[in-house]
Amino acid sequence: MSEYRQALMPVPPWRRTDYCGALRAGDAGREVALWGWVATRRDHGSLIFIDLRDREGIVQLVFNPERDADAHAVAQAARAEFYLAVKGRVVRRSEGTVNAELPTGEIEIVVAVAEVLNPSQPPPFPLAGPDGAAEEVRLKYRYLDLRRAEMQRNLRRRHQALRGARAYLDANGFIEIETPILFRATPEGARDYLVPSRVNPGRFYALPQSPQLLKQILMVGGFDRYYQIARCFRDEDLRANRQPEFSQIDIEMTGPRPEDIHEMAEGMMASIYEYAAEIQIPRPFLKMPYEEAMERYGSDKPDLRFGLELKNLTDAFSGTQFKVFAETLARGDAIYGLALPGAYQLSRRELDELAEGLRTRQSLGLAWAKIGSDGWQGPVAKFIGADERVSAAAAAGLSEGDTLLMVAGPRGKVRPVIGDLRLQMAAKFALRDATALKFLWIVDFPLFEYSEEEKRLVSVNHPFTAPRPEDLALLDAEPLKARALAYDMVLNGQEMGGGSIRIHNAELQLRVFALLGIERAEAIAKFGFLLDALAFGAPPHGGIAFGVDRIAMMVCGTDSLRDVMAFPKTQKAVDTMSGAPSEIDPRQLRELSIRVAR
RNA sequence: GGGGUCGUAGUUCAGCCCGGUUAGAACGCCGGCCUGUCACGUCGGAAGUCGUGGGUUCAAAUCCCAUCGGCCCCGCCA
């Protein structure tokens, strides 16, 4: 490597006057001082061009050996990702050398002085262009990955989204309050991340899955309106849109009706989109009861960017001779269908694969029929009589050339399965309008559902959700029919946020706990602080929480959470850059009174 | 816990099915030449535990088994 002067100075030899990527034609004639990374270097033997990059973009530097030999020597020695400080004059590029692709393409910097502030090893992967390297490598060298324009853009949009949220909440009287990260483990919900207490051997803190209880207590504490950009932790398996550690915009207010929360949340979302994407989103959002969403879309977070609604064929087949369907009806179960327009053709093999998927995953059978000019075709067509064909065709709105997919079974199982088929078909036939933003609220969730695994009622939302007042009477007799004052905000088939009006009465809270199988003594042991708080004049209150990371994914147009987090973890919850989680020194464990069993 | 998929120069990938020369290409890297490039050009060069371990075979990047890791999904995630 040839010679260069490396300034081992802890601060640059001169202050920066501008960001590289911010210079424009209007700056022509100015003397500027810049710092930045070498993005690319084009060496013509004597003339050398360097594209210098900082967070705002790149600008072209020109080094002419006849003008300044020292600066030129620096350019000769410089390599990709060297951090340089330069001084020079901004000049308009001569005609024919303008680069229309670059915002800075009308000008360049004629460099008079240059210093290498820090050389760099050759980067392990190229930093220009959209993700060239495998994520494995990008995560290990995250600091290099973060220099890429895409990551710079994503994290800044995320920042703008949060600014939008804060601006709205601040303007509407919400007070930002921090809650502890070291909290207590509570039953229900996801697995907790635990932190041992050194001064209380054998005891553990839990990292909060969300600040749920604390924000309720802040309402009891009289703050009236609270918000927080809160870190949350859940020790569950990861997905493309799930990390063990994530952020939510957590909001609680005193005395709201659900509509008040909706209006506020829509205002905040509008502010987010204005700040992050300069888009005006249409308001108010559609509201859809949970039951309707399940009936029409087979999902509590329906994607409304396309139609293809489910068809309830139960009545249409009421007189069927087809054994499978007849048995279904005899059990009181349901038959649902999905009518694929003739333009969306599936091969026999694709249909078989779909059927196989349902059998293995859901142990449900898929029946299908193609509506031809000479009647129904398909393996089950011969079992389906003329009358049923007419009624089914009417119920499903079938025309010639269409394909009807049918699934029979318990309603609670069949609807989500067909809902999933609906999404698969949307992906296969590219039915989604990529530019649409389809917001809606899902309301009137059930309060409870029955858990086969635990053989008891569990909360659909969380145990602090208030029942609808008119459904209070159902609590003891038919708790599964009781609806909750709960709501989810859904955007393009993704849950953006959810919340509820909370129970603010200790007796009602104890009743709900009891229905969940949490007896009075256990409730007092584990949630005594909440029950006590409710007993001291707790005001009615309710709120909502939004997934910051999911919002960031939407405004950035990416489908991986890792693209909108600075330091995400892999699917095994590992940080490949730092090596966390790591083994711990035995001495440290001893201090914590912990012995590793493995 | 389970299913799928990928793992070969620094990077992106080909080769793997059907075992058999010295494991290739592009980008990057190193060196030479080059005064208007912007993915500069051009000439030359270096660069590989084929993820790891075991097995089958005269012979394994290639076939088999196990294992580790990345990604996607199911379960799980109020």
Side-chain angles (χ1 to χ4, degrees), chain A residues 345-356 366 368 370 377-380 382 403 428:
Chain A
Q345 297 280 345
L346 288 173
S347 69
R348 176 67 185 258
R349 186 177 160 184
E350 288 169 322
L351 288 161
D352 288 346
E353 280 170 7
L354 280 182
E356 180 59 26
L366 173 74
W368 59 269
K370 196 162 276 186
Q377 297 148 12
V380 303
K382 58 179 175 288
T403 304
K428 177 162 179 55

Side-chain angles (χ1 to χ4, degrees), chain A residues 14 153 240 262 296 307 317 323 339 348 404 436 446 493 507 524 534:
Chain A
W14 50 76
R153 189 206 66 169
H262 299 160
R296 292 174 59 191
F317 284 111
K323 205 170 145 212
R348 176 67 185 258
L404 180 63
E507 281 313 309
I524 288 170
L534 296 183

Side-chain angles (χ1 to χ4, degrees), chain A residues 451-474:
Chain A
S451 163
E452 285 294 342
E453 194 183 330
E454 300 186 52
K455 306 290 178 205
R456 65 176 180 101
L457 294 184
V458 294
S459 295
V460 168
N461 191 243
H462 55 58
F464 319 108
T465 301
R468 291 185 68 101
E470 64 268 37
D471 290 356
L472 275 174
L474 295 169

Side-chain angles (χ1 to χ4, degrees), chain A residues 433-584:
Chain A
D433 174 355
T435 63
L437 290 175
K438 293 290 189 183
F439 283 99
L440 79 155
W441 290 101
I442 302 297
V443 299
D444 296 343
F445 280 87
L447 193 58
F448 305 112
E449 61 192 350
Y450 185 74
S451 163
E452 285 294 342
E453 194 183 330
E454 300 186 52
K455 306 290 178 205
R456 65 176 180 101
L457 294 184
V458 294
S459 295
V460 168
N461 191 243
H462 55 58
F464 319 108
T465 301
R468 291 185 68 101
E470 64 268 37
D471 290 356
L472 275 174
L474 295 169
L475 278 187
D476 293 316
E478 300 180 283
L480 285 169
K481 288 204 174 151
R483 289 164 302 165
L485 286 173
Y487 31 81
D488 278 359
M489 184 193 284
V490 173
L491 168 58
N492 293 355
Q494 295 253 10
E495 183 191 328
M496 292 286 104
S500 62
I501 306 300
R502 327 295 185 188
I503 295 168
H504 73 287
N505 171 282
E507 281 313 309
L508 179 58
Q509 185 65 72
L510 279 166
R511 266 179 82 195
V512 169
F513 279 148
L515 288 164
L516 294 171
I518 303 172
E519 295 308 331
R520 193 182 181 95
E522 185 187 357
I524 288 170
K526 289 174 176 160
F527 297 108
F529 62 103
L530 174 70
L531 295 166
D532 285 348
L534 296 183
F536 284 101
H541 58 282
I544 191 164
F546 292 91
V548 171
D549 310 279
R550 287 187 186 174
I551 290 173
M553 283 167 69
M554 293 305 300
V555 299
C556 291
T558 161
D559 50 15
S560 172
L561 236 164
R562 296 182 296 276
D563 291 337
V564 296
M565 294 179 88
F567 301 105
K569 292 179 178 59
T570 68
Q571 194 156 44
K572 287 200 71 189
V574 166
D575 173 4
T576 50
M577 185 181 71
S578 75
S582 64
E583 296 201 336
I584 290 299

Side-chain angles (χ1 to χ4, degrees), chain A residues 174 219 224-225 251-256 260-261 264 540-543:
Chain A
F174 289 85
M219 293 303 99
D224 198 78
R225 290 180 161 211
I251 302 170
E252 195 79 3
M253 54 203 284
T254 290
D260 298 323
I261 302 270
M264 177 276 298
H541 58 282

Side-chain angles (χ1 to χ4, degrees), chain A residues 217-235:
Chain A
I217 288 175
L218 286 169
M219 293 303 99
V220 183
F223 286 95
D224 198 78
R225 290 180 161 211
Y226 139 94
Y227 83 94
Q228 179 180 198
I229 314 295
R231 276 311 180 79
C232 306
F233 307 85
R234 293 179 191 174
D235 186 6

